[in-house]
Amino acid sequence: MIRLKLVLVIFSLFSSVAYGFGDYPYYDVHETAVDGKKNDLRMLHNGLASLALRIDMIRRAEKEIVMEYFIWERDLTGKILLLELMRKSRQMQKANKPFKVKIIVDKSITIFEVNEYYAEVLNKYGIEIAYHNRALDPLTAQFRDHRKLIAMDGVEAITGGRNIGDDYFDMDKEYNFLDRDVWVKGPMARTMRDSFMGYWNHKRMVKEATPFIVEEFSPLVRSQRRRNTLKLEIHERKRKEAREFFKVTEEVKLASPKIMKVGMEILKKFPVYNCPKMTFASDLPGSRGASLLFEDYDKYRLLRKVIFNKMYAVKKSLFIESPYWILNKPYGQTIKDLLANGKEVTALTNSLNSTDAYYVSALFYDQVFNYEKLGLRPFIYNADFLDNNPVAEKKVKDVRWGLHAKTQIYDDDSIMIGTYNIDNRSDHFNNEMAIFCDGSKEIVQDLRNNIKERMTQAYEITDDMQATDGKGNSVDVFGGAPKEAIKSMRNWKIPARLFEPLM
């Protein structure tokens, strides 16, 4: 943490001190045998099923839909979901029934797509959008809302690894993620919804439904007129583009029914379980550059406390699935302590060939061999399509696939599914959330079975620059990555080490 502060202090600008919160709604525990609160869960291992269930929730909603995402892409999936929200909102308006739709989107400059021009169109349908952290100083800009949530009427909710985009729902023609979500039904869904409202009402959210032009004033009248005319032309062009985006195309007409038919059929294969003890944990809104340096910054980082407590409490084994694997000092020491005490620690993450971030691979391969020598069992995904993962289009089977699920298993009766990666961003900067379920060996076994299927396409790292497949054959430690990818990763090695605290 000291190193992190030293690296980041040069970026810091003074700002107001954020205020604190109580535990609820960012931490809640329901134990049926103790408080009588019953929560069901369903693990969503397949992208189409997870997308179909989201659409189904929108269509069944009677009072409210709230959605919160780090990424909302302007592709087919992003468009279909927005059109479903618009259609539902208009239906409720015509029926004269009160209905609310609220969306939070993180305003990270590198990935932000659904801007104020799209919000302007959505607002005409009664849909409100808030943008998280449109920060100006470079340090505060690192603090992103990485939470992922849809909640219906405070009765059902989904969280997990999936953002909104074709690549998260097994529909992209170039690259797809093997991801995982968890659906929750019961009083914990209300807690999750209330945590959304805590973010929605926070002063860090910017609610703008109308884009505006900043006109220039200059003594050079002709120059000023030209610049303002150009700005107006760009402004109107962006407005037109936003309106065009929401037109129902033939692609949408063909895709939506197919998604629902195939996705809902797949969904039937995923059982609904009662969770004996369910915990919801989320980081608190409000952290910024100044809070890292001048406040009790740890008060915002609630989820990692819960995760570290769970890891240190394991009696026999810990399994971690994460798309990114960058062990900072606390995480690295935790893994070392568990291994030194005879605990089994297994990791499943991306190879260079399956990753979407070469700079992460540069750090992963820099660390992993040392931990393997200490007893860690690291497995890397090889980027191939998983045969038992049903898809709507055959074309996507031939593209590159990578892991994106954020999952942990503690011994034989406890799991975590959420948004938290094993890296410094999730540990220090990003707001994260997760569902924990304790006391069900049946749920753990179901999850293990799905992970076991994914690991049929994984290689185990067994020594320095060595790996084997499931049959014990020697394979490429980079997962079969092309030479260009290896070269790119090596070029990233020094920059990645320098900026590791930000990754």
Side-chain angles (χ1 to χ4, degrees), residues 394-406:
K394 291 183 179 180
K395 293 180 182 179
V396 302
K397 294 182 178 182
D398 299 325
V399 305
R400 198 163 58 95
W401 288 72
L403 296 174
H404 199 259
K406 303 93 164 57

Side-chain angles (χ1 to χ4, degrees), residues 352 358-359 362 478 481-495:
L352 174 61
Y358 292 157
Y359 51 90
F478 297 127
K483 291 180 180 179
E484 294 79 9
I486 297 172
K487 182 179 179 181
S488 180
M489 181 193 71
R490 286 172 175 165
N491 289 340
W492 268 107
K493 194 167 186 178
I494 294 177

Side-chain angles (χ1 to χ4, degrees), residues 435-492:
I435 287 290
F436 299 80
C437 181
D438 298 316
S440 174
K441 292 186 177 181
E442 190 178 18
I443 292 174
V444 171
Q445 190 57 52
D446 187 338
L447 180 55
R448 284 193 189 280
N449 289 341
N450 179 260
I451 290 169
K452 186 176 180 180
E453 291 172 356
R454 295 185 179 190
M455 291 179 74
T456 61
Q457 301 287 52
Y459 302 149
E460 182 175 5
I461 292 176
T462 55
D463 207 338
D464 285 347
M465 300 302 293
Q466 294 183 28
T468 59
D469 63 15
K471 297 179 180 179
N473 300 315
S474 180
V475 292
D476 179 25
V477 75
F478 297 127
K483 291 180 180 179
E484 294 79 9
I486 297 172
K487 182 179 179 181
S488 180
M489 181 193 71
R490 286 172 175 165
N491 289 340
W492 268 107

Side-chain angles (χ1 to χ4, degrees), residues 42 167 401:
R42 178 183 241 163
D167 43 350
W401 288 72

Side-chain angles (χ1 to χ4, degrees), residues 26-27 147 279-284 298-310 331 408 410 416-421 426-427 430-436:
Y26 306 108
Y27 182 78
R147 291 170 22 118
T279 300
F280 170 71
S282 168
D283 294 321
L284 278 62
D298 215 38
K299 69 182 180 183
Y300 298 102
R301 312 308 300 170
L302 193 152
L303 179 55
R304 73 177 183 187
K305 297 175 187 175
V306 179
I307 289 174
F308 273 78
N309 285 340
K310 295 288 287 186
Y331 234 111
Q408 297 186 13
Y410 316 98
M416 181 278 280
I417 298 174
T419 69
Y420 183 97
N421 294 314
S426 286
D427 216 28
N430 293 340
N431 294 327
E432 309 286 3
M433 63 191 297
I435 287 290
F436 299 80

Side-chain angles (χ1 to χ4, degrees), residues 106-373:
D106 188 74
K107 201 164 188 179
S108 171
I109 191 171
T110 58
I111 54 174
F112 180 65
E113 293 189 20
V114 182
N115 59 34
E116 290 82 358
Y117 292 94
Y118 296 83
E120 182 181 35
V121 178
L122 292 168
N123 190 250
K124 294 176 181 177
Y125 287 79
I127 298 172
E128 301 176 83
I129 291 188
Y131 298 114
H132 173 264
N133 192 15
R134 188 175 60 182
L136 297 178
D137 74 88
L139 180 53
T140 298
Q142 302 302 317
F143 292 82
R144 310 311 330 165
D145 182 7
H146 197 245
R147 291 170 22 118
K148 301 161 183 69
L149 172 69
I150 175 172
M152 181 200 84
D153 299 336
V155 176
E156 298 177 29
I158 297 174
T159 189
R162 292 185 177 94
N163 290 294
I164 303 301
D166 291 349
D167 43 350
Y168 296 96
F169 295 100
D170 309 348
M171 292 174 58
D172 196 85
K173 303 300 189 296
E174 295 182 6
Y175 178 81
N176 285 287
F177 292 111
L178 276 174
D179 216 324
R180 183 177 293 108
D181 292 323
V182 59
W183 170 84
V184 174
K185 182 178 181 181
M188 194 61 82
R190 168 60 61 174
T191 302
M192 297 165 75
R193 178 266 180 197
D194 288 349
S195 77
F196 170 93
M197 292 307 300
Y199 275 73
W200 178 268
N201 292 321
H202 195 273
K203 59 185 178 182
R204 298 292 298 281
M205 297 297 165
V206 177
K207 303 177 180 74
E208 291 179 358
T210 305
F212 59 89
I213 307 173
V214 178
E215 294 189 351
E216 295 185 18
F217 297 92
S218 168
L220 301 174
V221 178
R222 289 182 62 190
S223 177
Q224 173 189 317
R225 188 183 299 122
R226 286 173 183 166
R227 286 195 296 270
N228 288 336
T229 300
L230 179 60
K231 284 185 177 183
L232 180 60
E233 289 175 356
I234 295 172
H235 175 71
E236 290 303 326
R237 176 173 56 79
K238 289 182 176 180
R239 271 184 160 168
K240 183 179 179 181
E241 288 174 355
R243 291 193 298 268
E244 290 290 323
F245 174 79
F246 290 105
K247 288 185 177 180
V248 181
T249 61
E250 282 301 312
E251 184 183 28
V252 171
K253 290 179 182 178
L254 291 172
S256 292
K258 194 170 188 178
I259 290 168
M260 292 306 293
K261 181 180 179 180
V262 177
M264 294 304 284
E265 195 63 33
I266 298 169
L267 186 65
K268 294 176 183 177
K269 300 177 182 179
F270 301 144
V272 175
Y273 298 100
N274 171 251
C275 175
K277 181 180 179 181
M278 182 175 287
T279 300
F280 170 71
S282 168
D283 294 321
L284 278 62
S287 58
R288 59 178 66 195
S291 57
L292 178 66
L293 296 162
F294 307 117
E295 287 187 76
D296 177 15
Y297 171 70
D298 215 38
K299 69 182 180 183
Y300 298 102
R301 312 308 300 170
L302 193 152
L303 179 55
R304 73 177 183 187
K305 297 175 187 175
V306 179
I307 289 174
F308 273 78
N309 285 340
K310 295 288 287 186
M311 289 194 298
Y312 267 113
V314 299
K315 299 176 181 177
K316 184 177 67 174
S317 64
L318 169 66
F319 173 87
I320 300 174
E321 181 180 7
S322 173
Y324 314 121
W325 185 270
I326 302 174
L327 295 178
N328 56 29
K329 189 173 181 179
Y331 234 111
Q333 190 59 51
T334 301
I335 299 298
K336 290 176 181 178
D337 289 345
L338 291 173
L339 293 170
N341 285 289
K343 310 297 170 58
E344 299 175 11
V345 183
T346 305
L348 175 61
T349 189
N350 281 309
S351 66
L352 174 61
N353 197 26
S354 66
T355 190
D356 64 329
Y358 292 157
Y359 51 90
V360 173
S361 284
L363 292 172
F364 168 71
Y365 285 102
D366 209 23
Q367 296 179 343
V368 67
F369 303 113
N370 291 329
Y371 283 92
E372 187 275 331
K373 288 180 173 62

